[in-house]
Amino acid sequence: MGAASVLGVVVIAGASGGSDTGAAAPGSTLPAAVVTTPESTMPVVTQPNIVVPTSVSSVQKSPIAGPVSVGAYGDDVKKIQQRLTELGFAPGPADGAFGGGTQQAVWAYKKFVLGVTWEELEQSDSASVVTPEMWDLMQDPIVIQPRRNVGGGTHVEIYLPLQVMAVFTDGKPALITHISSGELDENGKPALWCEVTKYDTDNEGRPLDEPVIKDECAYSKTPGGVFRFRRKVDGNRVGPLGGMYNPVYFNYGIAVHGAKNVPRHPASHGCIRINNDIAEYFPDLVSIGNPVFVWGHDGREPEGYTKKEMLPSFNYPNPDSTLTTTTAPTTTVPKSTTTTTKPPATTTTKPPTTTTKPPATTTTTTTTVEPPDA
Protein backbone atom coordinates (compact mmCIF):
# COMPACT_ATOMS: atom_id res chain seq x y z
CA MET A 1 0.00 0.00 0.00
CA GLY A 2 1.32 3.47 -0.83
CA ALA A 3 2.16 5.90 1.96
CA ALA A 4 -0.54 8.33 0.85
CA SER A 5 -3.24 5.72 1.36
CA VAL A 6 -2.49 5.36 5.07
CA LEU A 7 -2.60 9.04 5.94
CA GLY A 8 -6.06 8.76 7.44
CA VAL A 9 -5.06 6.07 9.90
CA VAL A 10 -2.39 7.96 11.81
CA VAL A 11 -3.86 7.15 15.20
CA ILE A 12 -4.71 3.51 14.52
CA ALA A 13 -1.51 2.42 12.78
CA GLY A 14 0.75 4.74 14.74
CA ALA A 15 -0.31 3.32 18.05
CA SER A 16 -0.05 -0.23 16.86
CA GLY A 17 3.60 0.11 15.88
CA GLY A 18 3.11 -2.38 13.08
CA SER A 19 2.78 -5.44 15.30
CA ASP A 20 0.16 -4.87 18.00
CA THR A 21 -3.58 -4.88 17.41
CA GLY A 22 -6.27 -2.41 18.33
CA ALA A 23 -6.73 1.33 17.86
CA ALA A 24 -6.54 4.57 19.76
CA ALA A 25 -8.76 7.59 19.26
CA PRO A 26 -7.54 11.15 19.92
CA GLY A 27 -7.10 11.62 23.64
CA SER A 28 -6.76 7.90 24.33
CA THR A 29 -4.08 5.21 24.27
CA LEU A 30 -4.00 1.54 23.43
CA PRO A 31 -4.45 -0.82 26.36
CA ALA A 32 -1.10 -1.95 27.74
CA ALA A 33 0.01 -5.43 26.72
CA VAL A 34 1.32 -7.70 29.47
CA VAL A 35 3.94 -10.17 28.32
CA THR A 36 5.31 -13.15 30.23
CA THR A 37 8.89 -14.00 29.30
CA PRO A 38 10.02 -17.64 28.95
CA GLU A 39 12.77 -17.04 31.53
CA SER A 40 10.54 -15.44 34.18
CA THR A 41 6.97 -14.85 35.26
CA MET A 42 7.55 -11.10 35.69
CA PRO A 43 4.96 -9.13 33.67
CA VAL A 44 6.31 -6.68 31.10
CA VAL A 45 4.14 -3.68 30.35
CA THR A 46 4.08 -2.37 26.79
CA GLN A 47 2.86 1.20 26.33
CA PRO A 48 1.96 2.63 22.90
CA ASN A 49 4.58 4.70 21.05
CA ILE A 50 2.13 7.35 19.89
CA VAL A 51 -0.45 9.24 21.96
CA VAL A 52 -2.65 11.98 20.41
CA PRO A 53 -4.04 14.44 22.98
CA THR A 54 -7.62 15.72 22.80
CA SER A 55 -6.44 19.25 22.00
CA VAL A 56 -5.88 18.47 18.28
CA SER A 57 -8.61 20.85 17.07
CA SER A 58 -7.11 23.84 18.91
CA VAL A 59 -3.69 23.59 17.22
CA GLN A 60 -2.73 26.43 14.88
CA LYS A 61 -1.53 24.86 11.63
CA SER A 62 0.15 26.24 8.53
CA PRO A 63 -0.34 24.73 5.06
CA ILE A 64 2.24 23.78 2.43
CA ALA A 65 1.69 24.66 -1.23
CA GLY A 66 1.71 21.08 -2.49
CA PRO A 67 3.49 17.71 -2.26
CA VAL A 68 7.25 17.91 -1.65
CA SER A 69 9.90 15.24 -2.12
CA VAL A 70 13.61 14.68 -2.77
CA GLY A 71 15.16 17.56 -4.72
CA ALA A 72 12.60 20.13 -3.53
CA TYR A 73 13.77 23.26 -1.71
CA GLY A 74 12.23 26.29 -0.04
CA ASP A 75 10.23 27.33 3.02
CA ASP A 76 7.83 24.37 2.89
CA VAL A 77 10.74 21.93 3.08
CA LYS A 78 12.26 23.94 5.94
CA LYS A 79 9.00 23.77 7.92
CA ILE A 80 8.87 19.98 7.46
CA GLN A 81 12.51 19.63 8.53
CA GLN A 82 11.91 21.72 11.65
CA ARG A 83 8.87 19.64 12.66
CA LEU A 84 10.70 16.35 12.05
CA THR A 85 13.55 17.62 14.25
CA GLU A 86 11.12 18.63 17.03
CA LEU A 87 9.70 15.09 17.01
CA GLY A 88 13.18 13.50 17.07
CA PHE A 89 13.44 12.24 13.47
CA ALA A 90 16.85 13.81 12.65
CA PRO A 91 16.54 15.09 9.04
CA GLY A 92 19.79 17.05 9.39
CA PRO A 93 20.03 20.85 9.24
CA ALA A 94 16.78 22.73 8.52
CA ASP A 95 18.26 24.28 5.37
CA GLY A 96 15.17 24.03 3.14
CA ALA A 97 16.81 21.45 0.84
CA PHE A 98 15.12 18.02 0.65
CA GLY A 99 18.13 15.68 0.56
CA GLY A 100 18.98 12.16 1.71
CA GLY A 101 18.80 12.94 5.44
CA THR A 102 15.33 14.44 5.12
CA GLN A 103 14.24 11.52 2.94
CA GLN A 104 15.25 8.94 5.57
CA ALA A 105 13.59 11.02 8.32
CA VAL A 106 10.35 11.01 6.27
CA TRP A 107 10.64 7.22 5.86
CA ALA A 108 11.09 6.83 9.62
CA TYR A 109 8.13 9.13 10.34
CA LYS A 110 5.82 7.23 7.97
CA LYS A 111 6.76 3.90 9.50
CA PHE A 112 6.86 4.94 13.15
CA VAL A 113 3.90 7.33 13.30
CA LEU A 114 1.73 6.21 10.39
CA GLY A 115 2.48 2.51 10.95
CA VAL A 116 3.62 1.85 7.36
CA THR A 117 5.56 -1.44 7.28
CA TRP A 118 8.91 -1.60 5.52
CA GLU A 119 7.33 -3.84 2.84
CA GLU A 120 4.69 -1.19 2.11
CA LEU A 121 7.32 1.52 2.01
CA GLU A 122 9.51 -0.56 -0.31
CA GLN A 123 6.65 -1.01 -2.79
CA SER A 124 5.40 2.58 -2.59
CA ASP A 125 6.03 5.04 -5.43
CA SER A 126 5.47 7.91 -3.01
CA ALA A 127 7.69 6.69 -0.15
CA SER A 128 9.56 10.00 0.08
CA VAL A 129 6.62 12.33 -0.63
CA VAL A 130 5.16 14.62 2.03
CA THR A 131 1.63 15.58 0.94
CA PRO A 132 -0.33 18.57 2.34
CA GLU A 133 -2.58 16.05 4.17
CA MET A 134 0.43 14.35 5.76
CA TRP A 135 1.88 17.72 6.75
CA ASP A 136 -1.43 18.64 8.38
CA LEU A 137 -1.30 15.47 10.52
CA MET A 138 2.38 16.05 11.25
CA GLN A 139 1.45 19.27 13.06
CA ASP A 140 -0.81 17.46 15.55
CA PRO A 141 0.57 17.65 19.12
CA ILE A 142 1.45 13.97 19.17
CA VAL A 143 3.38 12.59 22.12
CA ILE A 144 6.03 9.99 21.35
CA GLN A 145 6.96 7.63 24.17
CA PRO A 146 8.90 4.36 24.51
CA ARG A 147 7.14 1.00 24.55
CA ARG A 148 9.26 0.11 27.58
CA ASN A 149 9.29 2.34 30.65
CA VAL A 150 12.66 1.62 32.22
CA GLY A 151 12.33 4.25 34.93
CA GLY A 152 14.73 6.90 33.63
CA GLY A 153 18.09 6.90 31.90
CA THR A 154 18.71 5.96 28.28
CA HIS A 155 17.58 2.88 26.41
CA VAL A 156 17.19 1.91 22.74
CA GLU A 157 14.21 0.26 21.05
CA ILE A 158 14.61 -1.42 17.64
CA TYR A 159 11.47 -2.35 15.72
CA LEU A 160 12.44 -4.80 12.96
CA PRO A 161 8.92 -4.99 11.40
CA LEU A 162 9.13 -1.22 10.84
CA GLN A 163 12.91 -0.98 10.26
CA VAL A 164 13.07 1.88 12.77
CA MET A 165 15.27 2.50 15.82
CA ALA A 166 14.52 4.94 18.66
CA VAL A 167 16.75 6.24 21.45
CA PHE A 168 14.85 7.35 24.56
CA THR A 169 16.34 9.35 27.42
CA ASP A 170 14.18 9.79 30.52
CA GLY A 171 11.17 8.63 28.51
CA LYS A 172 11.61 11.20 25.71
CA PRO A 173 12.85 10.55 22.14
CA ALA A 174 16.46 11.67 21.61
CA LEU A 175 16.55 10.07 18.14
CA ILE A 176 14.17 8.15 15.88
CA THR A 177 15.76 6.90 12.68
CA HIS A 178 15.30 4.66 9.67
CA ILE A 179 17.48 1.52 9.78
CA SER A 180 18.33 -1.52 7.69
CA SER A 181 18.76 -4.78 9.60
CA GLY A 182 19.61 -8.36 8.55
CA GLU A 183 18.64 -9.30 4.98
CA LEU A 184 15.70 -11.68 4.56
CA ASP A 185 15.17 -14.40 1.95
CA GLU A 186 11.96 -14.93 -0.06
CA ASN A 187 10.42 -16.77 2.93
CA GLY A 188 11.10 -13.91 5.34
CA LYS A 189 13.93 -15.83 7.04
CA PRO A 190 17.54 -14.61 7.51
CA ALA A 191 19.32 -14.84 4.13
CA LEU A 192 22.52 -16.87 3.69
CA TRP A 193 25.64 -14.98 2.60
CA CYS A 194 29.14 -16.15 1.65
CA GLU A 195 32.01 -13.70 1.10
CA VAL A 196 35.76 -13.20 1.13
CA THR A 197 36.30 -10.50 3.76
CA LYS A 198 39.31 -8.66 5.12
CA TYR A 199 39.07 -8.48 8.94
CA ASP A 200 40.75 -5.98 11.25
CA THR A 201 38.73 -7.01 14.37
CA ASP A 202 37.75 -10.27 16.02
CA ASN A 203 34.20 -11.51 16.80
CA GLU A 204 34.06 -9.16 19.78
CA GLY A 205 35.12 -6.10 17.75
CA ARG A 206 38.65 -6.01 19.26
CA PRO A 207 41.42 -4.90 16.84
CA LEU A 208 43.64 -7.69 15.47
CA ASP A 209 47.45 -7.36 15.37
CA GLU A 210 47.36 -8.12 11.64
CA PRO A 211 44.37 -8.16 9.24
CA VAL A 212 43.14 -11.60 8.18
CA ILE A 213 41.44 -12.68 4.93
CA LYS A 214 38.73 -15.34 5.26
CA ASP A 215 36.11 -16.90 3.02
CA GLU A 216 33.10 -17.48 5.25
CA CYS A 217 29.33 -17.93 5.31
CA ALA A 218 26.61 -17.08 7.83
CA TYR A 219 22.97 -16.09 7.98
CA SER A 220 21.98 -12.41 8.03
CA LYS A 221 20.23 -12.79 11.36
CA THR A 222 19.25 -9.84 13.55
CA PRO A 223 17.83 -11.60 16.62
CA GLY A 224 15.00 -10.21 18.71
CA GLY A 225 15.58 -9.99 22.44
CA VAL A 226 16.90 -7.83 25.27
CA PHE A 227 20.57 -6.79 25.17
CA ARG A 228 22.95 -4.14 26.47
CA PHE A 229 25.59 -2.04 24.70
CA ARG A 230 28.96 -3.63 25.35
CA ARG A 231 31.61 -1.82 23.29
CA LYS A 232 32.19 1.27 21.15
CA VAL A 233 34.78 1.57 18.39
CA ASP A 234 35.68 4.89 16.78
CA GLY A 235 36.05 5.25 13.01
CA ASN A 236 35.87 2.67 10.22
CA ARG A 237 36.11 -0.98 11.20
CA VAL A 238 35.86 -4.27 9.33
CA GLY A 239 34.35 -6.75 11.75
CA PRO A 240 33.04 -10.26 11.21
CA LEU A 241 29.94 -8.84 9.50
CA GLY A 242 31.54 -6.29 7.16
CA GLY A 243 32.38 -2.58 6.98
CA MET A 244 31.17 -0.43 9.89
CA TYR A 245 31.46 3.25 10.83
CA ASN A 246 31.54 4.09 14.57
CA PRO A 247 30.04 0.72 15.60
CA VAL A 248 28.43 0.30 19.02
CA TYR A 249 28.20 -3.45 19.77
CA PHE A 250 25.31 -5.02 21.67
CA ASN A 251 25.16 -8.71 20.63
CA TYR A 252 28.58 -10.30 19.95
CA GLY A 253 29.64 -8.90 16.52
CA ILE A 254 26.26 -7.23 15.91
CA ALA A 255 26.39 -3.45 16.24
CA VAL A 256 24.50 -0.28 15.47
CA HIS A 257 26.79 1.41 12.94
CA GLY A 258 26.96 3.92 10.12
CA ALA A 259 26.80 2.80 6.49
CA LYS A 260 26.87 4.43 3.07
CA ASN A 261 23.89 2.37 1.96
CA VAL A 262 20.76 2.21 4.17
CA PRO A 263 18.01 1.05 1.78
CA ARG A 264 14.27 0.81 2.47
CA HIS A 265 14.50 -2.97 3.03
CA PRO A 266 16.54 -5.19 5.41
CA ALA A 267 19.91 -5.56 3.66
CA SER A 268 22.66 -5.97 6.26
CA HIS A 269 24.58 -9.04 7.39
CA GLY A 270 22.81 -8.79 10.76
CA CYS A 271 23.89 -5.40 12.10
CA ILE A 272 21.69 -2.31 12.43
CA ARG A 273 22.72 0.12 9.69
CA ILE A 274 22.08 3.83 10.18
CA ASN A 275 22.93 6.88 8.09
CA ASN A 276 26.63 7.87 8.36
CA ASP A 277 25.66 11.42 9.42
CA ILE A 278 23.64 10.05 12.35
CA ALA A 279 26.44 7.59 13.16
CA GLU A 280 28.70 10.61 13.78
CA TYR A 281 26.85 11.41 17.01
CA PHE A 282 24.92 8.22 17.84
CA PRO A 283 27.73 6.85 20.10
CA ASP A 284 27.41 10.02 22.22
CA LEU A 285 23.69 9.42 22.78
CA VAL A 286 24.21 5.99 24.39
CA SER A 287 26.48 4.53 27.05
CA ILE A 288 27.94 1.11 27.69
CA GLY A 289 25.38 -0.87 29.67
CA ASN A 290 22.29 0.90 28.25
CA PRO A 291 19.50 -1.62 27.49
CA VAL A 292 18.60 -2.46 23.88
CA PHE A 293 15.13 -3.94 23.20
CA VAL A 294 14.68 -5.60 19.79
CA TRP A 295 11.20 -6.46 18.47
CA GLY A 296 11.60 -9.32 15.95
CA HIS A 297 9.99 -9.82 12.55
CA ASP A 298 7.83 -12.58 14.04
CA GLY A 299 5.93 -10.08 16.21
CA ARG A 300 7.15 -11.36 19.56
CA GLU A 301 8.06 -9.01 22.41
CA PRO A 302 11.81 -8.70 23.17
CA GLU A 303 11.43 -10.60 26.45
CA GLY A 304 9.79 -13.50 24.59
CA TYR A 305 13.06 -14.82 23.10
CA THR A 306 15.15 -17.54 24.70
CA LYS A 307 18.90 -17.10 25.18
CA LYS A 308 19.52 -19.48 22.29
CA GLU A 309 17.21 -17.53 19.95
CA MET A 310 18.98 -14.30 20.89
CA LEU A 311 22.31 -15.61 19.57
CA PRO A 312 23.48 -14.26 16.20
CA SER A 313 24.48 -16.53 13.32
CA PHE A 314 28.20 -17.20 13.77
CA ASN A 315 30.43 -17.32 10.69
CA TYR A 316 31.71 -20.66 9.39
CA PRO A 317 34.23 -21.50 6.61
CA ASN A 318 32.70 -21.47 3.13
CA PRO A 319 32.55 -25.15 2.06
CA ASP A 320 32.78 -24.11 -1.62
CA SER A 321 35.63 -21.65 -1.09
CA THR A 322 38.41 -21.35 -3.67
CA LEU A 323 40.48 -19.28 -1.27
CA THR A 324 42.18 -22.32 0.34
CA THR A 325 43.09 -23.86 -3.02
CA THR A 326 44.78 -20.64 -4.14
CA THR A 327 46.80 -20.32 -0.95
CA ALA A 328 47.90 -23.97 -0.92
CA PRO A 329 50.32 -23.76 -3.90
CA THR A 330 51.94 -20.66 -2.40
CA THR A 331 52.78 -22.62 0.72
CA THR A 332 54.13 -25.57 -1.27
CA VAL A 333 56.49 -23.66 -3.57
CA PRO A 334 59.06 -22.75 -0.89
CA LYS A 335 59.11 -26.39 0.28
CA SER A 336 60.14 -27.79 -3.10
CA THR A 337 63.02 -25.31 -3.46
CA THR A 338 64.22 -25.71 0.12
CA THR A 339 67.46 -27.64 -0.67
CA THR A 340 68.79 -25.39 -3.38
CA THR A 341 67.45 -21.97 -2.53
CA LYS A 342 66.88 -21.81 1.21
CA PRO A 343 70.30 -20.45 2.38
CA PRO A 344 70.33 -17.50 -0.11
CA ALA A 345 66.59 -16.91 0.40
CA THR A 346 67.10 -16.65 4.15
CA THR A 347 69.87 -14.09 3.93
CA THR A 348 68.57 -11.96 1.08
CA THR A 349 64.82 -12.24 1.45
CA LYS A 350 64.24 -12.07 5.20
CA PRO A 351 65.19 -8.41 5.73
CA PRO A 352 62.83 -7.28 2.91
CA THR A 353 60.08 -9.36 4.52
CA THR A 354 60.47 -7.41 7.75
CA THR A 355 60.48 -4.10 5.90
CA THR A 356 57.52 -5.00 3.72
CA LYS A 357 55.29 -6.04 6.60
CA PRO A 358 54.50 -2.54 7.96
CA PRO A 359 53.40 -1.23 4.50
CA ALA A 360 51.16 -4.31 4.14
CA THR A 361 49.43 -3.46 7.41
CA THR A 362 49.02 0.19 6.42
CA THR A 363 47.57 -0.70 3.03
CA THR A 364 45.00 -2.99 4.60
CA THR A 365 43.93 -0.35 7.07
CA THR A 366 43.12 2.09 4.26
CA THR A 367 40.93 -0.50 2.55
CA THR A 368 38.92 -1.40 5.64
CA VAL A 369 35.82 0.20 4.18
CA GLU A 370 35.91 -1.85 0.98
CA PRO A 371 33.88 -4.92 2.10
CA PRO A 372 30.08 -4.55 2.08
CA ASP A 373 28.39 -2.87 5.02
CA ALA A 374 27.38 -5.20 7.82
Side-chain angles (χ1 to χ4, degrees):
M1 147 183 357
S5 62
V6 293
L7 291 175
V9 292
V10 57
V11 180
I12 299 172
S16 72
S19 60
D20 301 325
T21 55
S28 67
T29 62
L30 284 179
V34 178
V35 182
T36 304
T37 73
E39 308 285 332
S40 148
T41 53
M42 290 288 291
V44 177
V45 178
T46 294
Q47 56 187 17
N49 285 132
I50 310 298
V51 179
V52 184
T54 45
S55 56
V56 173
S57 55
S58 62
V59 175
Q60 294 294 319
K61 297 184 179 182
S62 65
I64 57 174
V68 294
S69 187
V70 180
Y73 61 92
D75 289 342
D76 284 351
V77 175
K78 189 172 183 177
K79 286 195 291 189
I80 292 166
Q81 290 171 328
Q82 287 169 335
R83 182 57 178 150
L84 286 167
T85 302
E86 285 169 10
L87 293 171
F89 285 93
D95 53 8
F98 200 129
T102 304
Q103 179 186 47
Q104 290 196 17
V106 168
W107 291 351
Y109 176 86
K110 287 186 175 185
K111 291 183 291 181
F112 191 76
V113 177
L114 304 185
V116 181
T117 64
W118 71 262
E119 293 96 334
E120 290 168 337
L121 195 76
E122 177 79 359
Q123 293 156 16
S124 171
D125 294 330
S126 55
S128 306
V129 179
V130 177
T131 62
E133 295 81 10
M134 177 177 163
W135 167 241
D136 187 69
L137 289 170
M138 209 184 262
Q139 295 174 80
D140 285 345
I142 61 173
V143 176
I144 295 176
Q145 60 185 14
R147 291 190 192 176
R148 289 292 178 273
N149 184 348
V150 297
T154 295
H155 77 279
V156 169
E157 297 185 356
I158 298 171
Y159 318 103
L160 298 185
L162 297 177
Q163 293 292 280
V164 169
M165 177 183 74
V167 181
F168 292 98
T169 299
D170 296 330
K172 295 180 181 170
L175 169 70
I176 307 166
T177 182
H178 164 74
I179 63 166
S180 180
S181 63
E183 184 184 358
L184 302 175
D185 62 20
E186 61 280 1
N187 301 312
K189 303 293 182 190
L192 176 68
W193 60 267
C194 294
E195 289 175 12
V196 176
T197 312
K198 192 172 288 185
Y199 289 65
D200 67 359
T201 63
D202 64 11
N203 284 340
E204 295 291 319
R206 292 179 294 242
L208 296 171
D209 292 336
E210 292 185 18
V212 175
I213 294 179
K214 293 182 180 180
D215 189 355
E216 292 186 314
C217 300
Y219 287 91
S220 302
K221 179 186 176 187
T222 307
V226 182
F227 310 93
R228 289 186 182 273
F229 285 118
R230 304 167 63 223
R231 183 176 296 105
K232 297 181 184 183
V233 181
D234 292 334
N236 290 309
R237 284 293 177 270
V238 177
L241 299 176
M244 309 176 180
Y245 179 58
N246 281 351
V248 186
Y249 295 86
F250 65 90
N251 185 7
Y252 291 88
I254 294 181
V256 176
H257 69 81
K260 296 178 200 170
N261 181 27
V262 191
R264 283 182 276 175
H265 57 275
S268 80
H269 288 136
C271 282
I272 303 297
R273 291 187 196 174
I274 58 176
N275 183 297
N276 270 336
D277 291 338
I278 292 173
E280 285 283 354
Y281 60 85
F282 173 77
D284 296 329
L285 296 180
V286 298
S287 301
I288 302 306
N290 285 162
V292 181
F293 297 88
V294 183
W295 277 260
H297 288 289
D298 57 12
R300 274 188 284 169
E301 299 287 331
E303 297 81 3
Y305 293 88
T306 64
K307 287 180 180 177
K308 185 177 179 182
E309 290 172 322
M310 286 163 57
L311 289 173
S313 171
F314 295 103
N315 300 5
Y316 60 90
N318 184 354
D320 303 319
S321 174
T322 54
L323 190 63
T324 35
T325 47
T326 19
T327 22
T330 319
T331 335
T332 340
V333 175
K335 278 194 176 176
S336 54
T337 48
T338 302
T339 8
T340 27
T341 330
K342 206 160 189 185
T346 318
T347 21
T348 35
T349 322
K350 260 213 167 153
T353 312
T354 348
T355 16
T356 344
K357 256 193 175 172
T361 319
T362 331
T363 315
T364 343
T365 312
T366 48
T367 54
T368 52
V369 285
E370 290 305 319
D373 294 317

